Amino acid sequence: MKVIKAEQIHDAVVDLVLKAARYLPEDVKTAIRVARNNETSDSAKEILGQLLENADLAKESGLPLCQDTGLGVFYVEIGDEVQIEGNITEIINNAMIDGYQKGLLRKSSCHPLTRKNTMDNSPAVIHFTHVAGDKLNIKHMAKGGGSENMSRCTMLTPAQGWEGIKEFVVRRMAEAGPNPCPPTIVGVGIGGTFDLAPSLAKEALFRPLSAENPDPELAAMEKELLDEINQLGIGPMGLGGKTTCLGVKIAMHPCHIASLPLAVNVQCHSSRIKEVTL
């Protein structure tokens, strides 16, 4: 049995929070560079260049990539041969609070109705999965409000199938327009249940843009959705161009014979995700 101390988890999560806020993933920067080279719109080229400059400035200065430093979302895989010293929910939540405080990151968590701020960005949103092995894997996403507000979940009929899925996803991105700060990354969750589909969609966003879906059928679906979303012409920051979306990531799960759950989770160009394995 592998023992992981609370302090080790705490320090790792603080590091995830700080790095996610400051360092744009290399796969996203590469995708933006490719998009800039392929753009025909001068304004789109200019905006994509500014996004790359912003990423460089954040890395050099230690300042956040965006003023909306998001809510702390975590996907945690716990190996069945791992023993954790302490309550892992409390450890992650307290580490998230410390990370936001240490990085002087904006605290955005509030009461849904009174809108009173919790003042420390807590509580963290944590999803747990138990797996085989002696590893503890923690994936962190700083999820901003602008992109999250454009996300949607629906229950299609089985007869609507792929055409219904495609119509819903593309229409959702058309309706979102400039609001999620495009170019976006789009996570799509298909199947499961009403509550599982959105989690699938969000977790799909952790797959690097450079990593093709291992399922050839899903890979083809991702490409088709990406092409259709980019044909909308919304472009970077909604000012027109070929680059409305940098990538589409699909995750699928078996569902009830009478259902077809579908969720779209939108990520802005500032894809603030980091991962660690202990």
Side-chain angles (χ1 to χ4, degrees), residues 108-167:
S108 300
S109 180
C110 71
H111 187 284
L113 300 181
T114 67
R115 313 310 292 178
K116 181 179 179 181
N117 200 292
T118 66
M119 305 307 291
D120 59 8
N121 219 52
S122 71
V125 179
I126 311 174
H127 305 266
F128 290 105
T129 305
H130 290 272
V131 297
D134 63 351
K135 305 294 183 184
L136 173 66
N137 179 264
I138 305 174
K139 293 184 285 193
H140 166 58
M141 175 185 295
K143 200 65 171 63
S147 58
E148 191 78 343
N149 288 346
M150 295 300 104
S151 303
R152 295 290 187 274
C153 180
T154 189
M155 300 296 287
L156 300 180
T157 64
Q160 288 176 274
W162 167 238
E163 288 303 317
I165 292 170
K166 183 168 60 174
E167 191 275 335

